Amino acid sequence: MTITEKISFLRNRMAEEKIDAYIITKLDPHLCEYAPLHFNSVLEISGFTGSAGSVVVTAKEAGLWTDGRYYLQAETELKDTGITLHKEMEIGVKGFIDFAIDETSDGGVIAFDGRTMSVEQVRVMQDKMQKGNKTLRTDLDLVGEQWSSRPCLPENPVFDHEVCYSGVSRADKFESLRAKMKEQKADAYVITSLDDIAWLFNLRGRDIDTLFIAFAVIETDLANLFINAVKVNDVRNVLESDGVTIRDYAEVYAYLENLESDKVILIDPDRTNYAMFDKIENRKVVERKPDLTTEMKAIKNEVELSNLEKCNILDGTAMVKFIKWIKENAETGTVTECGIADKLTEFRSVAKEYLCQSFDTIAGYMENGAIIHYHAQKENCKTLDNKGIVLVDSGANYLCGTTDITRTIALGEASDEIKSDFTLVLKGHINLARAIFVYGTFGMQLDTLARVHMWRSGIDYKTGTGHGLGYCLNVHEGPQNIGRRVNTTRLESGMIQTNEPGIYRNGKHGIRTENTILVHEHADTEFGKFMAFKTISYCPIDLDLVNVSMLTCEEKEWLNAYHATVYEKLSESLDASTKEWLKNQTRAI
């Protein structure tokens, strides 16, 4: 069926069920950023391929809501579908929940699949629906009813993430978690987040990058893992010897419903789907945000930090080889945006610890770089030439860590505007990288450091400035981040962040410089404890794009010191010609 035919089918079913507005989210029952195609109902109903989006369908209207990363992409993908783009966070734009409520008359019904919205989201809806006698239905997957070619759930085996990589055994993690549960007076702790489960159980998989589909319920004497049994054939014995009870994936809802009535159940309402909460709503429930495991895994232990150093050297070595290759081959007419990801994988996969990409590579040449999460398609991807710039945002999962790095690469002479934009981005990047801040500071309080030079030139970007980074896990990890959105998580020693300001000029070019930074203690004074960042990504920043006259002495000192470190860390892993090339790329200015 076409998109318009799918919308028509949905409206017919809504009429049969007497539904005024139907909400479709991009979330799965685990409420993860990246979900298996089996759960991507937004893609099925709209054709929108971005990683964040929600759809609302009424009898007369159909709309898609997404954030600034995907405005240009959504406009292209929604063309001629009859679905209207609503730009989230823009002034005057209603959110999808408000839209659904306002489009539902008094006494009307709003419906959605309860597995695809969090407890907190539903409560927001319920609060806003107190007037007008509107009701909710959470038991209908109307997109699934017409999805004849719906992909099956993946059944890839999991594998043990050994202590030499994790730093702490799963038994010790269980013990630490149970101590925290005791502080919350909880007897059973429900975990739905896939990266939290993978981290807690020291397991990795291949269902979604390094994750696997499962639920977990931790009790004072049980560690229940709800998973398709075929996935754990290779590790069942070692899991059971560590006190893990294997249960069927689909059993979790009934298991929670049948827990002893006197048990206190702990959940995070932001990470628990409403269909699951429906099974325990009348029980003794304790709520805490964020998840205990999310806080625990955000602070990397010494083994993880040591491995991350190795991981970033491996990745930096691959990136150097890649940048040299792309600069030398751009003029041949054989390098395309689509081929870039394959070449990066070729260079990265030489490392024995390499597992997979940490996300789909974003490679945008010239105006395509302005599409923040651009994904090149084979039928229309650009061929690179010996002019202009290409933005490459990529990352990898290794047994010893996860990387996320962006470089804007000169392929020939660049315009004055490109050099000015590149240098403004660099100034913001350096300003944040050099930050020293009192302990207790939130990431949102540092966001201005990356933007201030752009603001003075009347320029801004719609993305966040940085996000937490997983460890052989999600490329985006909370609870910390750096951005405009309110986030009151303190930046703690051992947390990993990205530093990625950018400038995106529609129809012209996109520029971003991204490194990974580590939060660490800087100094103790009579005024308190102070924190700082250490940059742990090692890859040259393209000096051919820098307008040196725009940099202060301190900024030049930082860039020269960073490049000296890059050369020191990577040169011994390179052949003679690449080593000589890197020496020039990291020259002092």
Side-chain angles (χ1 to χ4, degrees):
M1 289 192 288
T2 65
I3 298 300
T4 53
E5 289 171 337
K6 291 173 182 178
I7 297 289
S8 178
F9 176 92
L10 178 58
R11 284 182 170 136
N12 289 336
R13 287 289 293 118
M14 290 168 59
E16 291 170 2
E17 299 286 348
K18 295 181 172 53
I19 293 168
D20 295 88
Y22 190 75
I23 298 174
I24 305 146
T25 77
K26 210 170 180 69
L27 297 175
D28 64 1
H30 306 274
L31 308 180
C32 292
E33 179 180 10
Y34 301 107
L37 287 175
H38 177 85
F39 293 115
N40 198 339
S41 297
V42 167
L43 173 62
E44 170 63 16
I45 199 68
S46 71
F48 173 65
T49 61
S51 67
S54 302
V55 171
V56 177
V57 177
T58 68
K60 296 181 179 179
E61 301 287 338
L64 178 135
W65 281 254
T66 192
D67 60 49
R69 295 172 295 170
Y70 296 112
Y71 290 167
L72 295 177
Q73 177 180 331
E75 286 172 355
T76 299
E77 293 179 343
L78 297 180
K79 187 178 180 181
D80 299 326
T81 64
I83 300 174
T84 302
L85 171 63
H86 297 256
K87 297 179 178 180
E88 285 182 341
M89 299 180 68
E90 294 285 297
I91 295 173
V93 176
K94 289 182 184 177
F96 72 93
I97 288 176
D98 288 332
F99 179 87
I101 293 172
D102 289 347
E103 292 296 311
T104 301
S105 57
D106 289 355
V109 177
I110 301 171
F112 54 89
D113 180 350
R115 299 173 301 167
T116 66
M117 290 186 72
S118 71
V119 175
E120 195 63 35
Q121 283 178 302
V122 175
R123 285 176 176 165
V124 168
M125 292 184 68
Q126 290 170 332
D127 286 345
K128 292 182 175 183
M129 290 169 53
Q130 288 180 358
K131 295 180 181 179
N133 195 32
K134 300 168 187 178
T135 58
L136 290 179
R137 281 195 64 179
T138 64
D139 60 336
L140 292 172
D141 179 11
L142 297 184
V143 176
E145 288 183 14
Q146 54 84 25
W147 195 347
S148 59
S149 58
R150 189 170 198 167
C152 296
L153 281 174
E155 295 185 350
N156 301 301
V158 302
F159 60 92
D160 199 22
H161 197 225
E162 298 175 1
V163 175
C164 63
Y165 296 115
S166 66
V168 180
S169 70
R170 63 177 64 86
D172 286 342
K173 288 181 178 180
F174 293 157
E175 183 178 353
S176 297
L177 179 57
R178 285 174 174 134
K180 292 179 179 295
M181 289 168 56
K182 188 174 182 179
E183 293 173 3
Q184 302 294 320
K185 297 180 171 57
D187 304 301
Y189 175 35
V190 180
I191 311 175
T192 66
S193 170
L194 301 185
D195 55 320
D196 286 62
I197 293 167
W199 174 84
L200 179 63
F201 285 80
N202 280 355
L203 296 173
R204 299 296 187 269
R206 292 295 177 86
D207 290 348
I208 312 163
D209 297 327
T210 59
L211 304 181
F212 54 91
I213 307 298
F215 292 107
V217 178
I218 307 300
E219 301 175 61
T220 53
D221 56 350
L222 288 171
N224 300 290
L225 182 64
F226 297 84
I227 189 170
N228 187 331
V230 70
K231 292 175 179 288
V232 295
N233 285 342
D234 296 336
V235 293
R236 178 181 285 272
N237 290 340
V238 69
L239 289 174
E240 290 180 343
S241 68
D242 283 337
V244 177
T245 301
I246 308 298
R247 301 183 187 276
D248 185 71
Y249 175 70
E251 186 186 336
V252 66
Y253 295 92
Y255 187 86
L256 289 172
E257 192 172 25
N258 294 320
L259 272 175
E260 292 92 330
S261 59
D262 61 339
K263 284 199 170 182
V264 178
I265 304 171
L266 175 64
I267 66 165
D268 176 353
D270 283 332
R271 303 297 291 271
T272 304
N273 74 62
Y274 188 78
M276 181 172 285
F277 181 70
D278 189 50
K279 301 297 182 183
I280 59 173
E281 188 171 7
N282 296 320
R283 307 287 297 282
K284 296 177 182 177
V285 177
V286 175
E287 298 182 8
R288 187 187 187 281
K289 297 188 287 187
D291 270 320
L292 295 173
T293 45
T294 299
E295 289 185 335
M296 292 167 70
K297 77 178 184 338
I299 299 175
K300 312 310 180 200
N301 61 51
E302 290 302 318
V303 171
E304 289 172 324
L305 292 175
S306 176
N307 281 325
L308 277 168
E309 175 73 4
K310 176 181 180 181
C311 170
N312 279 283
I313 289 173
L314 291 173
D315 204 67
T317 301
M319 282 293 296
V320 165
K321 294 176 181 177
F322 165 75
I323 294 172
K324 180 175 183 289
W325 169 83
I326 201 170
K327 281 180 173 285
E328 292 175 347
N329 289 275
E331 64 181 352
T332 65
T334 61
V335 180
T336 68
E337 293 171 326
C338 296
I340 284 174
D342 293 337
K343 198 66 182 180
L344 264 170
T345 297
E346 179 184 322
F347 286 124
R348 284 174 165 141
S349 61
V350 172
K352 65 181 182 186
E353 294 90 347
Y354 175 81
L355 294 173
C356 60
Q357 296 182 114
S358 54
F359 59 98
D360 290 340
T361 296
I362 299 163
Y365 181 46
M366 291 306 293
E367 66 269 23
N368 286 343
I371 304 172
I372 297 170
H373 274 208
Y374 173 70
H375 181 65
Q377 303 292 332
K378 289 186 178 180
E379 60 270 17
N380 59 10
C381 68
K382 281 182 171 290
T383 298
L384 276 56
D385 201 353
N386 61 340
K387 61 183 178 181
I389 57 175
V390 60
L391 182 152
V392 182
D393 183 359
S394 70
N397 278 309
Y398 301 84
L399 287 169
C400 50
T402 297
T403 64
D404 183 4
I405 188 165
T406 306
R407 288 296 182 266
T408 306
I409 304 164
L411 303 180
E413 189 61 34
S415 68
D416 290 343
E417 181 181 61
I418 286 176
K419 288 184 176 180
S420 177
D421 284 352
F422 184 90
T423 309
L424 284 174
V425 169
L426 178 58
K427 288 170 75 71
H429 181 96
I430 293 172
N431 208 28
L432 181 58
R434 296 179 63 244
I436 297 172
F437 48 96
V438 70
Y439 177 72
T441 296
F442 311 140
M444 66 180 185
Q445 295 171 305
L446 302 179
D447 180 69
T448 305
L449 295 177
R451 298 180 191 265
V452 62
H453 296 293
M454 298 180 203
W455 285 354
R456 288 171 182 159
S457 298
I459 298 170
D460 193 29
Y461 52 93
K462 296 183 184 297
T463 63
T465 295
H467 55 80
L469 192 65
Y471 178 82
C472 192
L473 285 172
N474 284 358
V475 72
H476 296 147
E477 179 178 279
Q480 78 280 10
N481 68 16
I482 299 175
R484 289 177 176 175
R485 294 186 178 183
V486 175
N487 184 323
T488 54
T489 299
R490 289 182 306 208
L491 294 175
E492 303 276 1
S493 182
M495 284 182 170
I496 302 294
Q497 274 283 156
T498 61
N499 173 4
E500 50 179 306
I503 292 175
Y504 311 95
R505 292 190 184 271
N506 189 14
K508 290 186 174 182
H509 58 257
I511 293 167
R512 179 159 69 248
T513 298
E514 177 186 17
N515 281 335
T516 300
I517 51 179
L518 166 67
V519 183
H520 66 95
E521 294 184 16
H522 175 72
D524 274 306
T525 77
E526 61 184 298
F527 298 98
K529 181 166 67 174
F530 287 81
M531 314 296 286
F533 294 123
K534 176 186 177 183
T535 297
I536 60 172
S537 296
Y538 308 115
C539 180
I541 294 168
D542 202 327
L543 296 174
D544 293 338
L545 294 173
V546 178
N547 182 339
V548 178
S549 67
M550 293 173 61
L551 297 179
T552 66
C553 290
E554 287 182 332
E555 289 165 346
K556 285 186 279 189
E557 287 175 4
W558 182 93
L559 185 58
N560 288 337
Y562 174 68
H563 274 156
T565 300
V566 169
Y567 185 79
E568 175 192 351
K569 297 282 187 182
L570 304 184
S571 58
E572 292 189 9
S573 303
L574 303 171
D575 61 44
S577 64
T578 308
K579 183 176 180 178
E580 188 62 28
W581 179 88
L582 178 61
K583 187 174 184 179
N584 178 61
Q585 295 296 306
T586 56
R587 65 191 182 276
I589 59 171

